[in-house]
Amino acid sequence: KQEVTQIPAALSVPEGENLVLNCSFTDSAIYNLQWFRQDPGKGLTSLLLIQSSQREQTSGRLNASLDKSSGRSTLYIAASQPGDSATYLCAVPRIKAAGNKLTFGGGTRVLVKP
Amino acid sequence: ETGVTQSPTHLIKTRGQQVTLRCSSQSGHNTVSWYQQALGQGPQFIFQYYREEENGRGNFPPRFSGLQFPNYSSELNVNALELDDSALYLCASSLRAGGADTQYFGPGTRLTVL
């Protein structure tokens, strides 16, 4: 059974500081790993998807790394802004199962203070 | 905007009642997945439909059932509602059920059971 853990559960930083969000998973047999953003009471917005063959993926101020052998992914957000305040979730397709059903971590709730 | 829509936005029911939630996938997407997200937690996989057939189910009882229609719409039905069913329900569509396919999430339906 795949288990996904995100630490810390909550994070508060001053504006301008870099954010480092961690995600760990128990089984390295994954197709890919996806990072999502969720604003309060809203749906999920996909930020980055890293294929299992990749080591990192970048989009603007966001950079995600993947180390399958150690079961870890890290999302870096450079020069944080108050608009980055949200919950960030990582997810992997469920292993040894057909299809792309996702197992999610519990999320990291981020507050960027002006 | 992911092109995935859900209705209604909010819903209040009482214990024991039945509810139907609806999702409209992106055109051409043959796969729809449903997730339940309790407050402060990551989404949990309920089930997936591929070409109108159930294609995997999470750890949810049979009173959670679904349908997928040829016009890329789908339904989640929950019978005999319990207080613990209060959650945000998310649907996600993808082109195929394969492990590498990106899922696109709708904005969710907030269900409150009193």
Side-chain angles (χ1 to χ4, degrees):
Chain A
K1 178 186 174 186
Q2 176 75 278
E3 294 183 1
V4 181
T5 304
Q6 292 185 250
I7 295 173
L11 190 58
S12 180
V13 299
E15 182 177 2
E17 194 165 297
N18 295 333
L19 286 164
V20 181
L21 309 178
N22 298 303
C23 172
S24 62
F25 46 94
T26 54
D27 193 311
S28 61
I30 60 172
Y31 292 113
N32 54 54
L33 185 144
Q34 197 163 2
W35 282 94
F36 292 90
R37 170 185 171 137
Q38 185 175 35
D39 292 296
K42 304 293 186 182
L44 304 181
T45 301
S46 178
L47 297 174
L48 290 168
L49 184 149
I50 311 175
Q51 299 293 350
S52 62
S53 59
Q54 296 178 308
R55 295 298 298 259
E56 68 179 85
Q57 188 71 262
T58 298
S59 176
R61 293 185 295 114
L62 276 59
N63 174 275
S65 65
L66 175 63
D67 184 344
K68 267 194 0 175
S69 60
S70 66
R72 292 179 185 173
S73 177
T74 302
L75 177 66
Y76 301 91
I77 303 177
S80 62
Q81 304 168 358
D84 294 330
S85 299
T87 296
Y88 292 83
L89 296 149
C90 65
V92 292
R94 290 176 68 191
I95 58 163
K96 299 186 175 70
N100 56 356
K101 302 167 274 290
L102 295 172
T103 300
F104 283 85
T108 295
R109 190 170 67 251
V110 170
L111 175 63
V112 180
K113 296 178 285 187
Chain B
E1 292 291 332
T2 64
V4 180
T5 60
Q6 292 187 244
S7 63
T9 306
H10 295 91
L11 200 54
I12 299 176
K13 293 285 189 178
T14 56
R15 198 169 51 180
Q17 285 189 311
Q18 179 267 341
V19 69
T20 297
L21 310 182
R22 294 181 173 82
C23 172
S24 179
S25 301
Q26 281 195 24
S27 179
H29 281 195
N30 293 314
T31 305
V32 64
S33 303
W34 287 90
Y35 295 84
Q36 179 196 66
Q37 187 178 23
L39 201 61
Q41 298 181 24
Q44 299 289 318
F45 173 74
I46 303 174
F47 46 55
Q48 183 181 81
Y49 278 78
Y50 174 62
R51 292 185 173 178
E52 303 166 46
E53 298 285 333
E54 188 177 289
N55 182 41
R57 188 179 186 90
N59 190 26
F60 281 81
R63 59 190 185 85
F64 286 79
S65 62
L67 287 170
Q68 186 185 25
F69 303 102
N71 65 351
Y72 308 113
S73 67
S74 59
E75 293 180 352
L76 165 64
N77 299 289
V78 188
N79 294 322
L81 284 166
E82 301 178 359
L83 297 179
D84 285 348
D85 296 333
S86 294
L88 180 67
Y89 288 84
L90 299 162
C91 74
S93 75
S94 58
L95 187 60
R96 297 171 298 241
D101 267 33
T102 301
Q103 294 188 52
Y104 299 88
F105 281 81
T109 293
R110 171 71 62 186
L111 172 66
T112 302
V113 182
L114 302 176

